[in-house]
Amino acid sequence: MTGLPWVRIYPDRQVLGHAAARDIAAELRRLLDGQDKVRILFASAPSQYETLTALCAEPGIDWRRISAFQLDEYLGLSPDAPQRFGRWLRRTLFDRVPVGEVNLMDSTDDIDGLLADYAGKLSEAPIDIACLGLGVNGHLAFNDPAVADFHDPLAVKVVDLDEVSRQQQVDDECFTTIDDVPRQAVTLTIPTLLTARRIFCVVPGSPKARAVRAALLDALSTESPGTILRTHPGCVLYLDRDSALEVRQEIAG
């Protein structure tokens, strides 16, 4: 724990993942006790693997009453490309638990139709939970600094990916070279993410240390999109020792 009640630091990413999964599962159980369905947004990245794997093993969750949405998806990849975020979520989560409704982004055909359809589905009812990560450039979903808008009028949009974001995909071993990484993606916008009643933001690893410092200590700005998390009353940020390396002294209480 830390001096900031919404920031939690754990010894390593495995312990972090299990702790975050326990908290997400507890919130899912609480919500399912009082409402028919729960709507949840899921990030797709190696940084989320331990959390989602542990979440699959959590008991007492009626996954049949859960509607799941992905945060973002590449443009320009074939439907069967292993790097597609929808395929990653299926392998990691949706093929392992009986989720009642899975809403994936089909970004291979009619993009305008996808944007309208996905925005429509998101607007049908409130979003209960968002499971997020944080990019090395501070991005949330694929809202890189150049395209992030804290007052975006859109729910879903097409964005150009900056070089830092694309290089992260190589460093995460999702692609071999940066030339293989698509230059565009579909993403939920920041205001859409912030509509979630609870946000669980899982950020392990030393490559994220600078972005974590910016998110916690820099002025509120789209130059570091993660700073907006400080405005959300229901957000918890999960760090390991590596990702907290640059902030442990500042936030210790």
Side-chain angles (χ1 to χ4, degrees):
M1 298 299 182
T2 74
L4 295 177
W6 70 288
V7 181
R8 302 176 184 177
I9 301 175
Y10 297 92
D12 57 49
R13 62 191 299 150
Q14 288 288 344
V15 178
L16 180 164
H18 280 83
R22 284 195 301 270
D23 290 350
I24 296 165
E27 181 65 7
L28 284 171
R29 294 186 201 102
R30 187 189 72 82
L31 291 169
L32 289 166
D33 280 344
Q35 59 195 61
D36 291 336
K37 293 184 179 181
V38 173
R39 288 155 57 86
I40 181 168
L41 311 177
F42 285 107
S44 318
S47 64
Q48 308 302 301
Y49 178 79
E50 290 82 5
T51 297
L52 296 187
T53 298
L55 184 60
C56 290
E58 282 287 331
I61 299 172
D62 186 356
W63 288 98
R64 295 167 299 177
R65 292 195 284 137
I66 291 175
S67 296
F69 297 82
Q70 67 181 112
L71 295 188
D72 43 19
E73 185 59 272
Y74 295 112
L75 294 182
L77 291 181
S78 65
D80 59 351
Q83 298 93 341
R84 289 179 64 86
F85 289 151
R87 289 178 63 86
W88 186 90
L89 278 174
R90 283 202 178 278
R91 294 193 302 270
T92 307
L93 182 65
F94 301 149
D95 288 345
R96 301 173 65 186
V97 291
V99 178
E101 180 183 343
V102 174
N103 297 284
L104 298 180
M105 294 175 170
D106 180 4
S107 61
T108 60
D109 190 12
D110 177 11
I111 302 306
D112 289 339
L114 165 63
L115 298 178
D117 179 64
Y118 222 73
K121 290 179 179 178
L122 289 165
S123 69
E124 289 176 356
I127 300 299
D128 296 295
I129 295 173
C131 296
L132 307 183
L134 183 70
V136 295
N137 62 359
H139 71 222
L140 298 173
F142 263 142
N143 294 281
D144 291 333
V147 298
D149 183 348
F150 292 165
H151 306 285
D152 205 312
L154 300 174
V156 192
K157 67 181 181 181
V158 173
V159 294
D160 294 325
L161 303 179
D162 71 21
E163 187 169 343
V164 174
S165 190
R166 294 173 65 232
Q167 182 60 46
Q168 179 183 330
Q169 312 309 311
V170 178
D171 296 339
D172 284 346
E173 299 182 351
C174 299
F175 293 88
T176 304
T177 72
I178 195 169
D179 291 335
D180 298 325
V181 183
R183 295 180 179 274
Q184 288 190 310
V186 176
T187 185
L188 305 191
T189 61
I190 287 178
T192 301
L193 304 180
L194 295 181
T195 64
R197 292 165 173 166
R198 293 291 309 277
I199 294 177
F200 299 87
C201 188
V202 173
V203 190
S206 57
K208 305 292 182 68
R210 184 171 297 179
V212 166
R213 179 180 178 84
L216 292 178
L217 302 176
D218 282 6
L220 195 69
S221 170
T222 54
E223 292 182 9
S224 179
T227 56
I228 198 66
L229 294 175
R230 303 202 305 257
T231 71
H232 195 287
C235 180
V236 180
L237 179 64
Y238 297 82
L239 309 176
D240 63 6
R241 287 176 178 169
D242 292 335
S243 60
L245 185 63
E246 297 191 18
V247 297
R248 278 184 289 186
Q249 289 185 346
E250 287 86 345
I251 64 178

